[in-house]
Amino acid sequence: MKKRLRYFLQEYFGFTQRESNGFFLVIPVLVVLALVPKGFHWYQHREARAQYQEYLVKADSMFQAVKEDSVARYARVNRSFLAKDTGRWEAYQRKQATLNKMDFAAADSVVLQVVPGIGPTLAARIVKFRESLGGLHRKEQLLDVYGIKVPVAKRVFEYFTFTPAVDRYLYLNTAGIKDLAAHPYIRYGEAKVIVAYRGQHGAYARVEDLLRIKILSEDWLDRVKPYLKLEEAPVDQ
């Protein structure tokens, strides 16, 4: 092999015997010089990797120690804090913010809007109905307000107390047609009949006398009766 290579160098490159021998001496030196940096780099990399692994082990150990110390310190502080303030914090948690409840009869259209589902229009309609009626004597009467739904009507009395309160009455023996017809439970035709019957038969002796008017039913009377009172018939001079 060496002879063939020497022949190749002499034949194609014109090397002499001496130059060929020198070439074979130089080649190993060049190979060694080329491998030395790579070997040095590999050695350095191995040392650095070993140091890095050692650093990771130490860092992990330090981190675990700090973590355990922090957890223990937090537990001590937390126990001390709760021991001092538990009563106050639990009392705050139990305490619920509440609104002052007022009577439904005193609520105006602004205050009524605190109830979910009641806006300005419906609130004004409720107040107008209550005033025209002369007050509510039963909670369920709120359903007679146009546009109100059962869940909203029930919700009203979660925010307001209710006391039966009729503060204005119709006097059967003196009220005119317009006065009677202004009441939400009495239509104009019914008002005319009530006044006409009174004109024909004289003053009513009791509220139940209205049932002598055949078009008026007991259900109708039960509905309107809380708002009716009698007055003595006027004395002729």
Side-chain angles (χ1 to χ4, degrees), residues 86-217:
T86 297
R88 184 181 66 179
W89 284 87
E90 289 182 349
Y92 181 85
Q93 187 176 18
R94 290 193 300 267
K95 187 176 180 180
Q96 298 293 329
T98 58
L99 297 175
N100 292 326
K101 277 192 173 184
M102 63 184 298
D103 196 276
F104 171 76
D108 59 21
S109 60
V110 174
V111 177
L112 283 173
Q113 293 179 53
V114 73
V115 180
I118 295 182
T121 301
L122 185 55
R125 200 178 293 156
I126 291 171
V127 171
K128 183 178 180 181
F129 174 79
R130 186 184 63 198
E131 293 177 352
S132 300
L133 198 63
L136 275 65
H137 65 91
R138 293 175 57 191
K139 294 179 180 180
E140 294 82 356
Q141 289 178 274
L142 197 56
L143 294 174
D144 293 329
V145 177
Y146 175 76
I148 196 167
K149 297 181 179 179
V150 174
V152 177
K154 288 183 178 180
R155 200 176 299 137
V156 167
F157 300 107
E158 295 175 5
Y159 288 81
F160 298 94
T161 59
F162 178 77
T163 304
V166 176
D167 56 12
R168 190 169 67 256
Y169 298 92
L170 293 170
Y171 295 97
L172 280 178
N173 291 322
T174 58
I177 295 175
K178 288 184 178 180
D179 295 329
L180 293 169
H183 195 277
Y185 289 165
I186 303 175
R187 290 175 292 188
Y188 186 78
E190 296 162 352
K192 286 198 303 180
V193 171
I194 292 171
V195 173
Y197 186 89
R198 186 181 68 201
Q200 290 181 3
H201 299 278
Y204 294 99
R206 56 193 187 119
V207 173
E208 288 76 10
D209 287 344
L210 288 171
L211 294 178
R212 294 178 181 177
I213 304 172
K214 299 305 180 183
I215 65 170
L216 302 180
S217 67

Side-chain angles (χ1 to χ4, degrees), residues 27-48:
I27 288 300
V29 175
L30 292 176
V31 171
V32 171
L33 291 177
L35 293 177
V36 165
K38 292 183 178 295
F40 182 72
H41 177 73
W42 173 82
Y43 176 77
Q44 284 187 324
H45 181 71
R46 186 184 67 175
E47 289 293 323

